[in-house]
Amino acid sequence: MTIGVFAQHSGLTASALRFYADSGLLPPAEVDAVTGYRFYDPIQIERAVLVRRLREIGMPLDAVKSAIDADPVTAAGLVDTHLELLVGDAAIARERVAAIKTALTGAPSLEVASLSGPIFAAAIDQVLDATACEPGMAVLDGVRFESGPESVVLTATDRYRLATRTIVAESAAPTIWAATLHAGDLRQILPTLRRSPRLVLAASPLSLVLRSVDGGERHCRLLADPYPDFRGMIARLPEPGTRVVVNKTALLRAMETTDAAHLLVNATSKEIALRSAADQSGSEVRIPAAATGPEADVGFHMATLYPAISSAIGADLIIDLRGPSAPATIRSADTGDLTTLAMPAIPNHPEYLDD
């Protein structure tokens, strides 16, 4: 095949083929000694296409050569390594851009709180699981940050679950400052926060600046879209009809044994019974519990209830049930620092059926 024909089949330009030939990456099968024309064998097309695809993701020449000469498993590992480098570089670039934009505004930063880095990191970790990447609702992939005179409150929701965590600040500004923090940025800087004994949080128009005692500085972007009115929703919640106190580990193990996508929960004065909504045999998993109020039957999607239970703090949990159509509240029996709301799922409702 002439270089022009081979270029059409491989998706590479003739100039790119000459470059890869001269670099030893993709030498032609034959070179005419008189004319210097380059000819390629059809069996080289697969290698050429792989070279093109690897270069399209920015892989350097030496890494491309290693990948195309390696066995498939090793080559896949090299591609993963390159992807990790790309993601790391992109995260660094995003943070530097946030710092540049903050500097460009010229607005002074406002110190809003001072608190323990490990405690702040743990609180972020506890609510991040309730964020969601949803087209058209970018704000759901954010954590609401509210700093007041005495505490910092972090909140996240994916519309079916809401988690809110309160941290007592070492010091805080006398006024309230609130913004929505980019969840991806928070995930990226979590390791740094865990290693920082103390953090000073400063607000700027475009980012939250997190300064550690060693002088390091990290930036977290702010999301501009309005955050859902979760406080109004919480204020409108009816009083719970049934309150259940149950051991967290026992409840998680029981949920794991049901292997159900949609779970039916029956709470009585002495136990909780769990069964799959799809199981018509009536088989149940029962665990001890203490409940006050009337017997309750509520359905939940496992993808909503399980993470709400697993992320809760403490050995024993309080679950406030409000019936089949109002959110249940899940919190520790010992501390109220982390509260989660989990929306019930009506059996056989189209929105909750599996694909």
Side-chain angles (χ1 to χ4, degrees):
M1 303 173 68
T2 64
I3 191 171
V5 173
F6 189 72
Q8 292 176 354
H9 282 80
S10 64
L12 292 167
T13 64
S15 60
L17 287 171
R18 294 188 186 94
F19 173 73
Y20 294 140
D22 295 341
S23 63
L25 194 62
L26 192 62
E30 181 181 334
V31 179
D32 189 289
V34 177
T35 63
Y37 290 163
R38 308 177 191 217
F39 297 91
Y40 292 83
D41 194 298
I43 63 174
Q44 292 180 280
I45 293 175
E46 183 177 352
R47 182 182 176 97
V49 169
L50 181 56
V51 169
R52 174 177 57 79
R53 296 178 70 184
L54 293 175
R55 291 292 282 170
E56 284 173 347
I57 62 172
M59 185 176 278
L61 285 177
D62 56 346
V64 170
K65 189 174 190 313
S66 298
I68 62 177
D69 290 337
D71 62 88
V73 174
T74 302
L78 292 171
V79 173
D80 283 339
T81 299
H82 176 66
L83 177 60
E84 290 172 3
L85 292 173
L86 289 178
V87 171
D89 290 344
I92 292 171
R94 279 197 300 268
E95 191 165 347
R96 288 177 177 172
V97 165
I100 292 169
K101 290 166 68 176
T102 298
L104 286 173
T105 62
S109 58
L110 170 68
E111 186 173 321
V112 295
S114 173
L115 39 73
S116 163
I119 292 176
F120 187 50
I124 291 171
D125 217 12
Q126 288 161 352
V127 303
L128 270 177
D129 194 44
T131 59
C133 294
E134 190 166 324
M137 296 190 71
V139 73
L140 295 184
D141 194 23
V143 173
R144 189 64 176 172
F145 177 98
E146 297 172 321
S147 175
E150 297 179 354
S151 63
V152 169
V153 180
L154 301 173
T155 305
T157 182
D158 60 3
R159 294 191 301 147
Y160 304 103
R161 183 162 43 104
L162 182 144
T164 181
R165 174 75 156 89
T166 301
I167 315 165
V168 177
E170 296 176 3
S171 65
T175 57
I176 295 176
W177 183 84
T180 305
L181 310 181
H182 194 288
D185 289 358
L186 289 175
R187 291 187 183 92
Q188 186 68 32
I189 65 178
L190 268 179
T192 301
L193 302 185
R194 292 191 182 101
R195 295 191 298 268
S196 302
R198 182 174 174 273
L199 290 169
V200 174
L201 309 184
S204 73
L206 300 174
S207 68
L208 180 68
V209 185
L210 302 98
R211 301 188 179 105
S212 58
V213 291
D214 62 3
E217 191 172 280
R218 304 300 298 268
H219 289 251
C220 180
R221 287 172 292 170
L222 308 183
L223 299 178
D225 292 346
Y227 201 75
D229 180 20
F230 67 94
R231 292 194 182 281
M233 182 271 292
I234 293 174
R236 292 189 296 270
L237 285 177
E239 290 296 317
T242 304
R243 172 165 292 177
V244 183
V245 180
V246 63
N247 179 265
K248 172 183 172 179
T249 301
L251 180 55
L252 287 175
R253 288 176 177 171
M255 293 173 69
E256 291 162 2
T257 61
T258 62
D259 190 29
H262 192 112
L263 199 64
L264 298 180
V265 179
N266 174 257
T268 64
S269 60
K270 295 183 178 179
E271 66 182 11
I272 288 180
L274 307 176
R275 67 181 178 87
S276 169
D279 187 354
Q280 302 301 318
S281 67
S283 61
E284 297 177 328
V285 180
R286 298 174 180 271
I287 57 173
T292 57
E295 180 177 340
D297 288 288
V298 185
F300 292 94
H301 203 286
M302 181 69 87
T304 299
L305 184 61
Y306 189 88
I309 298 296
S310 63
S311 62
I313 302 173
D316 295 311
L317 305 179
I318 294 176
I319 303 176
D320 287 332
L321 298 172
R322 298 180 175 86
S325 59
T329 302
I330 300 162
R331 54 191 172 86
S332 168
D334 303 314
T335 174
D337 290 343
L338 174 66
T339 300
T340 301
L341 300 181
M343 191 66 194
I346 302 171
N348 301 321
H349 192 284
E351 188 171 358
Y352 296 103
L353 291 177
D354 293 332
D355 292 336

